[in-house]
Amino acid sequence: MSHAALLFNPESAPYGPFYVQAAHQMESRLGLKIAGASVRSGPGIAAAIETAARTGGGLVVLPDGGFFGTHSTMAIALLAQRRVPAIFAVRFYASNGGLMSYGADLTQQFRDGAGYVDRLLRGADISTLPVQFATRFELVINMKTARALGLTVPNRLLLDAELIE
């Protein structure tokens, strides 16, 4: 792969440009040219995928789960049809046909959130509760999709994966 398109919706992910900036700092280490793609609709996602397919040797990165969730069926189908590898931020996408995902374990985050709710219901002052960040991340690889794309997943990556579909 020689380049990657990092998709983001500026309305639902105003931090998208910061992701792109951080990705640019990694270009030489990764050996990839990173392009940010601001998308606001299903047709915008489709156009970004079509561009990645036309240029070849590319990867699509979809870091924001919320906005892309409403367009996931279309995006995953188009990625498969156009044979474009993609990585998502949430397990749901890899489990539903995307190539892979890497992101916070949402089940664990909901469990952690329940502890916060319990503390609040017991009378804790919200201003005294510490900010918590995700502590568990998961890599999910969909081998069926990898085979359909003609990709060989390195053993090192398979060993790091929490789930292989």
Side-chain angles (χ1 to χ4, degrees):
M1 286 182 219
S2 59
H3 53 275
L6 196 152
L7 279 55
F8 67 95
N9 180 334
E11 293 162 12
S12 66
Y15 46 81
F18 298 107
Y19 282 174
V20 175
Q21 183 181 18
H24 282 307
Q25 294 172 358
M26 296 297 296
E27 284 178 321
S28 63
R29 260 182 93 186
L30 297 173
L32 291 172
K33 180 71 178 152
I34 310 288
S38 173
V39 296
R40 289 181 163 85
S41 65
I45 295 169
I49 293 169
E50 288 294 339
T51 298
R54 243 189 344 272
T55 57
L59 166 73
V60 173
V61 181
L62 297 107
D64 181 313
F67 164 73
F68 293 108
T70 59
H71 304 288
S72 64
T73 302
M74 176 275 300
I76 290 170
L78 187 56
L79 288 161
Q81 177 190 20
R82 302 295 282 141
R83 301 181 52 81
V84 175
I87 185 166
F88 300 86
V90 182
R91 170 192 282 209
F92 166 84
Y93 301 101
S95 296
N96 287 288
L99 174 62
M100 61 188 339
S101 66
Y102 181 75
D105 179 342
L106 296 182
T107 302
Q108 185 61 47
Q109 284 192 293
F110 284 118
R111 285 186 188 124
D112 293 345
Y116 254 50
V117 170
D118 179 60
R119 291 167 73 180
L120 290 170
L121 292 175
R122 292 177 189 267
D125 179 0
I126 196 162
S127 66
T128 65
L129 295 176
V131 173
Q132 290 187 329
F133 295 99
T135 57
R136 184 162 182 250
F137 293 83
E138 58 185 2
L139 171 64
V140 178
I141 302 169
N142 187 320
M143 290 303 295
K144 181 178 176 185
T145 301
R147 283 189 290 277
L149 292 171
L151 298 174
T152 301
V153 179
N155 284 335
R156 172 74 176 133
L157 201 56
L158 292 172
L159 291 172
D160 287 341
E162 275 72 36
L163 180 64
I164 301 170
E165 296 277 345

